[in-house]
Amino acid sequence: DAGVIQSPRHEVTEMGQEVTLRCKPISGHDYLFWYRQTMMRGLELLIYFNNNVPIDDSGMPEDRFSAKMPNASFSTLKIQPSEPRDSAVYFCASSYRAGQGGYTFGSGTRLTVV
Amino acid sequence: QKEVEQDPGPLSVPEGAIVSLNCTYSNSAFQYFMWYRQYSRKGPELLMYTYSSGNKEDGRFTAQVDKSSKYISLFIRDSQPSDSATYLCAMRKIGNQFYFGTGTSLTVIP
């Protein structure tokens, strides 16, 4: 298996633009998580899905953030409009059965909003 | 108070030293404990996963859980420069998401 695949690896955008981050989880995993990592706050859970259904989005910072999982093999995290404080590394992770055996993380998307 | 506390370091040791990394937690409902290693500009990768109190060993790595003290540790024996990374602890309650520490940065000097 290729692992969790995220795209793009790097994204630089101007304030106010829409940004879409993409994730392909490991086949057979039924949980998908979106995290944001910064030096100040570490890893923060934004939202997670079980069987494509959003379960907990309490970590989504504002209405500017939205996430979808239209099928078991694809998820997106969208920021509209983007702001400089959104600059961070965004990770997608997937797991089987709520994390038995741990999560598998993607390589992340480094987002810079200027 | 955060649910999981981890000293951010940085920690710098000579090659061959024994490294001790620690996390404390406040919620006694946590049942599963993990350690992740994260190299610069990479995603975290799972190192150790444990459920019960006591020790679990895997090569040069030993994970220790003390539920009575709400304290977990990761020991690295014969540390190598390739062990230089950030180490994150994580834990969860049954049927729930994982909570991560903020990570400890480790440098092993040749």
Side-chain angles (χ1 to χ4, degrees), chain A residues 9 35 37 43 45 91 98-103 105-107 110, chain B residues 34 36 38 41-44 46 49 88 92 96-98 100 102:
Chain A
R9 288 297 308 274
Y35 281 87
Q37 188 176 42
L43 270 171
L45 178 66
F91 287 104
Q100 288 189 7
Y103 299 172
F105 283 81
S107 297
R110 183 172 296 274
Chain B
M34 302 185 297
Y36 280 85
Q38 185 176 20
R41 298 185 176 267
K42 300 286 188 182
L46 182 65
Y49 183 100
L88 300 126
R92 77 171 175 99
N96 208 323
Q97 55 150 316
F98 277 100
F100 284 84
T102 50

Short mmCIF file of all heavy atoms in Angstrom, two decimals, chain A residues 9 35 37 43 45 91 98-103 105-107 110, chain B residues 34 36 38 41-44 46 49 88 92 96-98 100 102:
data_model
loop_
_atom_site.label_atom_id
_atom_site.label_comp_id
_atom_site.label_asym_id
_atom_site.label_seq_id
_atom_site.Cartn_x
_atom_site.Cartn_y
_atom_site.Cartn_z
N ARG A 9 2.00 19.02 -1.79
CA ARG A 9 2.95 18.99 -0.68
C ARG A 9 3.19 20.38 -0.12
O ARG A 9 3.38 20.56 1.08
CB ARG A 9 4.29 18.39 -1.14
CG ARG A 9 4.26 16.90 -1.40
CD ARG A 9 3.94 16.10 -0.14
NE ARG A 9 4.79 16.43 1.00
CZ ARG A 9 5.97 15.88 1.23
NH1 ARG A 9 6.46 15.00 0.41
NH2 ARG A 9 6.66 16.24 2.31
N TYR A 35 -5.59 16.96 10.69
CA TYR A 35 -4.88 17.67 11.75
C TYR A 35 -4.16 18.88 11.20
O TYR A 35 -3.79 18.92 10.02
CB TYR A 35 -3.81 16.76 12.39
CG TYR A 35 -4.32 15.75 13.37
CD1 TYR A 35 -4.75 14.49 12.95
CD2 TYR A 35 -4.35 16.03 14.74
CE1 TYR A 35 -5.21 13.55 13.87
CE2 TYR A 35 -4.79 15.08 15.66
CZ TYR A 35 -5.22 13.85 15.21
OH TYR A 35 -5.67 12.93 16.12
N GLN A 37 -0.76 21.29 12.26
CA GLN A 37 0.40 21.34 13.16
C GLN A 37 1.12 22.68 13.04
O GLN A 37 1.48 23.11 11.95
CB GLN A 37 1.38 20.21 12.84
CG GLN A 37 2.52 20.08 13.86
CD GLN A 37 3.44 18.90 13.58
OE1 GLN A 37 3.80 18.63 12.44
NE2 GLN A 37 3.81 18.17 14.63
N LEU A 43 0.01 19.43 17.31
CA LEU A 43 -0.99 18.80 16.45
C LEU A 43 -2.38 19.06 17.01
O LEU A 43 -2.68 18.71 18.14
CB LEU A 43 -0.76 17.29 16.40
CG LEU A 43 0.15 16.73 15.32
CD1 LEU A 43 0.42 15.26 15.59
CD2 LEU A 43 -0.45 16.91 13.95
N LEU A 45 -6.47 18.41 16.24
CA LEU A 45 -7.46 17.71 15.43
C LEU A 45 -8.50 18.70 14.95
O LEU A 45 -9.10 19.43 15.75
CB LEU A 45 -8.13 16.62 16.26
CG LEU A 45 -9.23 15.83 15.54
CD1 LEU A 45 -8.64 15.03 14.39
CD2 LEU A 45 -9.95 14.92 16.52
N PHE A 91 -2.07 17.81 8.15
CA PHE A 91 -1.89 16.37 7.98
C PHE A 91 -3.24 15.67 7.89
O PHE A 91 -4.20 16.02 8.58
CB PHE A 91 -1.13 15.77 9.17
CG PHE A 91 0.33 16.11 9.19
CD1 PHE A 91 0.82 17.06 10.07
CD2 PHE A 91 1.21 15.45 8.35
CE1 PHE A 91 2.16 17.36 10.11
CE2 PHE A 91 2.56 15.75 8.38
CZ PHE A 91 3.04 16.71 9.25
N ALA A 98 -11.18 3.08 14.64
CA ALA A 98 -10.95 4.14 15.62
C ALA A 98 -9.55 4.15 16.19
O ALA A 98 -9.34 4.65 17.29
CB ALA A 98 -11.98 4.06 16.76
N GLY A 99 -8.61 3.58 15.48
CA GLY A 99 -7.23 3.76 15.91
C GLY A 99 -6.59 2.57 16.56
O GLY A 99 -5.51 2.71 17.14
N GLN A 100 -7.22 1.43 16.49
CA GLN A 100 -6.54 0.23 17.00
C GLN A 100 -5.30 0.01 16.17
O GLN A 100 -5.35 -0.14 14.95
CB GLN A 100 -7.47 -0.97 16.90
CG GLN A 100 -8.59 -0.94 17.90
CD GLN A 100 -9.37 -2.24 17.93
OE1 GLN A 100 -8.98 -3.19 17.29
NE2 GLN A 100 -10.45 -2.28 18.66
N GLY A 101 -4.15 0.03 16.82
CA GLY A 101 -2.90 -0.05 16.09
C GLY A 101 -2.36 1.31 15.68
O GLY A 101 -1.32 1.38 15.02
N GLY A 102 -3.04 2.36 16.03
CA GLY A 102 -2.53 3.70 15.76
C GLY A 102 -3.01 4.28 14.46
O GLY A 102 -3.72 3.65 13.69
N TYR A 103 -2.64 5.53 14.23
CA TYR A 103 -3.00 6.22 13.00
C TYR A 103 -1.81 6.15 12.03
O TYR A 103 -0.67 6.12 12.45
CB TYR A 103 -3.26 7.70 13.25
CG TYR A 103 -4.40 8.04 14.18
CD1 TYR A 103 -4.58 9.36 14.57
CD2 TYR A 103 -5.29 7.09 14.66
CE1 TYR A 103 -5.61 9.73 15.41
CE2 TYR A 103 -6.32 7.45 15.52
CZ TYR A 103 -6.48 8.76 15.88
OH TYR A 103 -7.49 9.13 16.72
N PHE A 105 -0.17 8.52 9.19
CA PHE A 105 -0.22 9.89 8.71
C PHE A 105 0.32 10.00 7.29
O PHE A 105 1.21 9.23 6.89
CB PHE A 105 0.63 10.81 9.60
CG PHE A 105 -0.02 11.18 10.90
CD1 PHE A 105 0.00 10.32 11.98
CD2 PHE A 105 -0.65 12.40 11.04
CE1 PHE A 105 -0.60 10.67 13.19
CE2 PHE A 105 -1.25 12.76 12.24
CZ PHE A 105 -1.23 11.90 13.31
N GLY A 106 -0.21 10.97 6.55
CA GLY A 106 0.38 11.36 5.29
C GLY A 106 1.59 12.25 5.52
O GLY A 106 1.95 12.54 6.68
N SER A 107 2.20 12.70 4.45
CA SER A 107 3.39 13.53 4.54
C SER A 107 3.07 15.01 4.79
O SER A 107 3.97 15.79 5.03
CB SER A 107 4.22 13.41 3.27
OG SER A 107 4.67 12.08 3.12
N ARG A 110 2.21 21.69 3.42
CA ARG A 110 2.70 22.91 4.07
C ARG A 110 2.04 24.10 3.40
O ARG A 110 2.32 24.40 2.24
CB ARG A 110 4.22 22.99 3.98
CG ARG A 110 4.85 24.18 4.70
CD ARG A 110 6.35 24.07 4.71
NE ARG A 110 6.80 22.92 5.47
CZ ARG A 110 7.01 22.90 6.78
NH1 ARG A 110 6.84 24.00 7.47
NH2 ARG A 110 7.44 21.81 7.38
N MET B 34 0.56 5.72 22.76
CA MET B 34 1.43 5.57 21.58
C MET B 34 2.58 6.55 21.65
O MET B 34 2.48 7.60 22.29
CB MET B 34 0.65 5.87 20.30
CG MET B 34 -0.55 5.02 20.05
SD MET B 34 -1.28 5.39 18.43
CE MET B 34 -1.76 7.10 18.64
N TYR B 36 5.02 8.44 18.69
CA TYR B 36 5.29 8.69 17.29
C TYR B 36 6.64 9.39 17.17
O TYR B 36 7.04 10.17 18.02
CB TYR B 36 4.22 9.60 16.67
CG TYR B 36 2.95 8.89 16.28
CD1 TYR B 36 1.94 8.67 17.21
CD2 TYR B 36 2.77 8.45 14.98
CE1 TYR B 36 0.78 8.03 16.83
CE2 TYR B 36 1.61 7.81 14.60
CZ TYR B 36 0.62 7.61 15.53
OH TYR B 36 -0.53 6.96 15.15
N GLN B 38 8.72 11.90 14.46
CA GLN B 38 8.49 12.78 13.32
C GLN B 38 9.81 13.43 12.90
O GLN B 38 10.39 14.23 13.65
CB GLN B 38 7.45 13.87 13.65
CG GLN B 38 7.09 14.74 12.46
CD GLN B 38 6.00 15.73 12.77
OE1 GLN B 38 5.73 16.06 13.92
NE2 GLN B 38 5.33 16.23 11.71
N ARG B 41 9.96 17.91 8.39
CA ARG B 41 9.20 18.02 7.15
C ARG B 41 8.60 16.68 6.71
O ARG B 41 8.39 16.45 5.50
CB ARG B 41 10.05 18.63 6.04
CG ARG B 41 10.49 20.05 6.38
CD ARG B 41 11.22 20.72 5.25
NE ARG B 41 11.54 22.10 5.60
CZ ARG B 41 10.76 23.13 5.32
NH1 ARG B 41 9.64 22.96 4.66
NH2 ARG B 41 11.10 24.35 5.69
N LYS B 42 8.32 15.82 7.67
CA LYS B 42 7.65 14.55 7.39
C LYS B 42 6.45 14.40 8.32
O LYS B 42 6.31 15.14 9.30
CB LYS B 42 8.61 13.37 7.63
CG LYS B 42 9.84 13.38 6.77
CD LYS B 42 9.52 13.01 5.35
CE LYS B 42 10.80 12.84 4.53
NZ LYS B 42 10.50 12.53 3.12
N GLY B 43 5.59 13.44 8.00
CA GLY B 43 4.48 13.14 8.89
C GLY B 43 4.93 12.25 10.03
O GLY B 43 5.94 11.56 9.94
N PRO B 44 4.19 12.28 11.14
CA PRO B 44 4.53 11.38 12.27
C PRO B 44 4.39 9.93 11.86
O PRO B 44 3.49 9.57 11.10
CB PRO B 44 3.48 11.76 13.33
CG PRO B 44 2.97 13.12 12.94
CD PRO B 44 3.04 13.15 11.45
N LEU B 46 4.34 5.89 13.51
CA LEU B 46 4.11 5.17 14.76
C LEU B 46 5.36 4.36 15.15
O LEU B 46 5.89 3.60 14.36
CB LEU B 46 2.92 4.23 14.60
CG LEU B 46 2.51 3.45 15.83
CD1 LEU B 46 2.02 4.40 16.93
CD2 LEU B 46 1.43 2.44 15.49
N TYR B 49 3.07 1.17 20.46
CA TYR B 49 1.64 1.21 20.80
C TYR B 49 1.44 0.25 21.96
O TYR B 49 1.82 -0.92 21.89
CB TYR B 49 0.82 0.78 19.58
CG TYR B 49 -0.67 0.85 19.78
CD1 TYR B 49 -1.39 1.92 19.28
CD2 TYR B 49 -1.37 -0.16 20.43
CE1 TYR B 49 -2.76 1.99 19.43
CE2 TYR B 49 -2.74 -0.09 20.59
CZ TYR B 49 -3.43 0.98 20.08
OH TYR B 49 -4.79 1.06 20.23
N LEU B 88 6.52 12.40 19.66
CA LEU B 88 5.20 12.80 20.17
C LEU B 88 4.56 11.63 20.91
O LEU B 88 4.54 10.50 20.39
CB LEU B 88 4.27 13.20 19.02
CG LEU B 88 4.73 14.37 18.16
CD1 LEU B 88 4.73 13.97 16.70
CD2 LEU B 88 3.80 15.54 18.32
N ARG B 92 -5.48 7.73 24.13
CA ARG B 92 -6.92 7.87 23.91
C ARG B 92 -7.73 7.04 24.88
O ARG B 92 -7.24 6.07 25.47
CB ARG B 92 -7.29 7.52 22.48
CG ARG B 92 -7.34 6.04 22.15
CD ARG B 92 -7.92 5.84 20.76
NE ARG B 92 -7.89 4.46 20.33
CZ ARG B 92 -8.94 3.63 20.40
NH1 ARG B 92 -10.09 4.05 20.90
NH2 ARG B 92 -8.84 2.39 19.97
N ASN B 96 -12.51 6.52 21.17
CA ASN B 96 -12.45 7.96 20.96
C ASN B 96 -11.17 8.33 20.22
O ASN B 96 -10.35 7.48 19.91
CB ASN B 96 -12.52 8.67 22.31
CG ASN B 96 -13.13 10.05 22.21
OD1 ASN B 96 -12.91 10.76 21.24
ND2 ASN B 96 -13.90 10.44 23.21
N GLN B 97 -11.00 9.59 19.94
CA GLN B 97 -9.85 10.06 19.20
C GLN B 97 -8.60 10.06 20.08
O GLN B 97 -8.68 10.00 21.30
CB GLN B 97 -10.12 11.49 18.73
CG GLN B 97 -10.51 12.40 19.88
CD GLN B 97 -10.11 13.84 19.69
OE1 GLN B 97 -9.01 14.10 19.26
NE2 GLN B 97 -11.01 14.76 20.01
N PHE B 98 -7.44 10.16 19.44
CA PHE B 98 -6.18 10.29 20.15
C PHE B 98 -5.89 11.74 20.49
O PHE B 98 -6.20 12.65 19.73
CB PHE B 98 -5.02 9.75 19.30
CG PHE B 98 -4.88 8.25 19.40
CD1 PHE B 98 -5.38 7.43 18.42
CD2 PHE B 98 -4.23 7.69 20.48
CE1 PHE B 98 -5.25 6.05 18.51
CE2 PHE B 98 -4.09 6.31 20.58
CZ PHE B 98 -4.60 5.48 19.58
N PHE B 100 -2.69 14.23 21.37
CA PHE B 100 -1.25 14.25 21.19
C PHE B 100 -0.57 15.25 22.12
O PHE B 100 -1.12 16.33 22.39
CB PHE B 100 -0.90 14.63 19.74
CG PHE B 100 -1.12 13.52 18.76
CD1 PHE B 100 -2.37 13.29 18.22
CD2 PHE B 100 -0.07 12.71 18.37
CE1 PHE B 100 -2.58 12.25 17.31
CE2 PHE B 100 -0.25 11.68 17.46
CZ PHE B 100 -1.52 11.45 16.93
N THR B 102 2.75 17.87 22.60
CA THR B 102 3.29 18.84 21.65
C THR B 102 4.62 18.40 21.07
O THR B 102 5.10 19.03 20.12
CB THR B 102 3.45 20.22 22.32
OG1 THR B 102 4.16 20.05 23.55
CG2 THR B 102 2.10 20.85 22.61
#
